[in-house]
Amino acid sequence: MSRGLYIHVPFCARACPYCDFDFVVGRAPDLDGYLEGLSREADQRGEEAASGRRFATVYVGGGTPSSLGAAGLSALMRWIERRFPGAGGDEITVEVNPEHADMRLLGALAAAGVGRISMGIQTFEDAGLRELGRAHSGAEAAVGLQTARTQGLRVSSDLIVGWRGQTPTSLRDDVARAIDGGAEHVSVYALTIEERSAWPKLVRRGLRVLPDDDHQAELLVVAEEALTAAGFTHYEVASYALGGAQARHNMLYWTWQEYLGLGPSGSSARYARDGSVRRRTNARGLAAWAAGAPPEEVALGPVEAAIEGLWVGLRRLTGLEVEDFLARFPAVDRGWIERRSASQRARGNLEWAEQGRLLRVVAGRWLWHDSIGADLLG
Ligand code: SF4
């Protein structure tokens, strides 16, 4: 079984109004303090954090990792290699915001052994970027893609759908520009407004509107059509890849592998032989985490973990591999999967494939993944 390492970088230049991720804004990142905090946490996690070679993938996310700048990111990558020698043999990904994607920063990442970046483009339309409160322009995103290509970095591009004024035509244009720019992986997210974000206040002041579900659903389908027409495989609810360019780190989550998350709000999962899982989420907020505030810990028993695993595994639209599922969750058997999935199969949302080797969401029903999940979890 593979394991993944996630490092949360909790700094952003400014807050996007829809977002409630864990970040601090408005000051120069205290890199030394942050790296000291990571070292302290890695020491405390002991055996769990030992042996870098066991971490097949590394994902540096945020926040905005690229707000550390070229020197800061180089220092972070050196810290990872020192602390976890050999980690990321299969894939190392760093999130980069387009406004930071210049030759210096991307060159530093490539020199540090990073092979893949995830660029938060969201849209190339400046009106959309203003609506979303993003700090970059469409032109910067296009240049960033080009620069990544010159540095030999593989690129995943995030797009957001459902902002006011977005049309099927503008979304098709976003998809085309991401592909022309060389993205081999595209993640498409519906604009989701978090309660704790600034967006609800802006709605009350008449400055934003809440996204419309039908508009979003229509656009999600447009994105799927455009990407699959360009040869991308829709392999996970929100993810599309060319050829074998699936996100290997994220794949660990969807195939019930273990991961270690360091940094504020970093999440970790450890499985026992019987399939039970212990999840840990670090304290939210840089100050609380740095002060050693306790993490939140949740333990799921073998059957509870299997129920959750079924839902998570069905995010893979190519299908959940039944044999792998049963190897991870030995407390259940094929009959249990049959019974648990019966009502969704009867409704035409799930189906067996390849003589029962796979259980998967029926083509075209992926928009209902959440409600299918609610039924499976219930
Ligand atoms: S969307 Fe990204 S850049 Fe914007 S506030 Fe959230 S974490 Fe920061």
Side-chain angles (χ1 to χ4, degrees):
M1 295 274 184
S2 302
R3 296 179 75 200
L5 175 65
Y6 173 81
I7 308 281
H8 188 80
V9 180
F11 307 105
C12 288
R14 68 186 203 197
C16 302
Y18 55 90
C19 175
D20 84 336
F21 284 0
D22 191 4
F23 58 86
V24 287
V25 289
R27 57 192 165 94
D30 170 14
L31 179 70
D32 291 343
Y34 169 63
L35 291 180
E36 270 169 36
L38 287 179
S39 295
R40 200 165 41 241
E41 186 183 357
D43 287 344
Q44 284 162 359
R45 307 289 292 269
E47 182 270 328
E48 208 188 338
S51 179
R53 241 175 292 285
R54 288 191 301 158
F55 295 104
T57 60
V58 174
Y59 192 100
V60 179
T64 309
S66 53
S67 66
L68 293 176
L73 274 177
S74 298
L76 176 59
M77 298 316 296
R78 281 197 302 275
W79 181 88
I80 293 172
E81 180 52 29
R82 232 183 5 256
R83 195 77 210 202
F84 304 101
D90 283 2
E91 179 187 273
I92 302 179
T93 303
V94 175
E95 289 180 357
V96 172
N97 276 14
E99 66 271 25
H100 301 138
D102 58 19
M103 198 69 93
R104 190 154 174 263
L105 186 130
L106 297 181
L109 288 180
V114 173
R116 182 175 184 271
I117 60 168
S118 174
M119 207 186 285
I121 290 174
Q122 320 311 356
T123 173
F124 289 89
E125 267 211 32
D126 288 340
L129 291 167
R130 279 195 296 277
E131 175 80 2
L132 294 170
R134 303 289 302 190
H136 65 275
S137 66
E140 279 174 316
V143 171
L145 283 173
Q146 203 176 10
T147 309
R149 207 151 50 172
T150 63
Q151 293 301 318
L153 292 162
R154 297 164 51 214
V155 179
S156 175
S157 160
D158 286 353
L159 297 178
I160 288 185
V161 307
W163 42 270
R164 176 169 51 177
Q166 190 177 30
T167 64
T169 304
S170 69
L171 177 56
R172 280 190 206 98
D173 187 53
D174 280 344
V175 168
R177 292 183 71 179
I179 296 172
D180 291 349
E184 58 168 29
H185 186 278
V186 178
S187 298
V188 183
Y189 300 107
L191 175 61
T192 305
I193 304 306
E194 301 299 340
E195 211 32 61
R196 285 185 295 193
S197 71
W199 201 283
K201 287 187 208 90
L202 296 173
V203 170
R204 284 195 287 279
R205 290 168 55 200
L207 298 172
R208 293 288 190 286
V209 294
L210 288 174
D212 175 82
D213 288 348
D214 292 339
H215 181 223
Q216 285 195 325
E218 179 199 0
L219 292 171
L220 286 169
V221 171
V222 167
E224 185 192 49
E225 285 167 359
L227 283 156
T228 53
F232 280 65
T233 302
H234 190 182
Y235 73 98
E236 188 271 339
V237 173
S239 312
Y240 299 81
L242 263 187
Q246 283 93 346
R248 293 191 185 177
H249 181 82
N250 290 352
M251 194 66 87
L252 296 182
Y253 300 134
W254 306 319
T255 54
W256 326 287
Q257 309 298 316
E258 297 194 331
Y259 47 91
L260 174 74
L262 301 180
S265 74
S267 303
S268 309
R270 297 189 83 183
Y271 286 88
R273 275 181 197 283
D274 64 0
S276 57
V277 62
R278 297 188 73 80
R279 295 197 187 294
R280 166 190 162 124
T281 307
N282 286 347
R284 192 183 159 96
L286 178 62
W289 168 76
E296 199 181 292
E297 296 199 86
V298 177
L300 296 182
V303 176
E304 278 175 292
I307 294 170
E308 189 199 66
L310 191 59
W311 176 50
V312 171
L314 286 167
R315 287 195 69 87
R316 289 177 67 199
L317 300 183
T318 44
L320 170 157
E321 284 162 33
V322 174
E323 212 169 288
D324 292 350
F325 178 84
L326 295 177
R328 172 52 90 196
F329 303 107
V332 301
D333 57 17
R334 178 175 279 273
W336 179 90
I337 302 177
E338 291 266 4
R339 292 189 296 280
R340 197 92 208 167
S341 61
S343 78
Q344 287 300 321
R345 283 185 290 114
R347 281 181 227 178
N349 290 332
L350 294 180
E351 65 183 3
W352 293 110
E354 297 186 11
Q355 287 84 44
R357 193 178 74 78
L358 304 171
L359 179 69
R360 70 183 177 202
V361 174
V362 170
R365 299 295 174 97
W366 56 277
L367 278 174
W368 288 275
H369 181 269
D370 279 353
S371 64
I372 295 169
D375 186 36
L376 294 173
L377 293 168

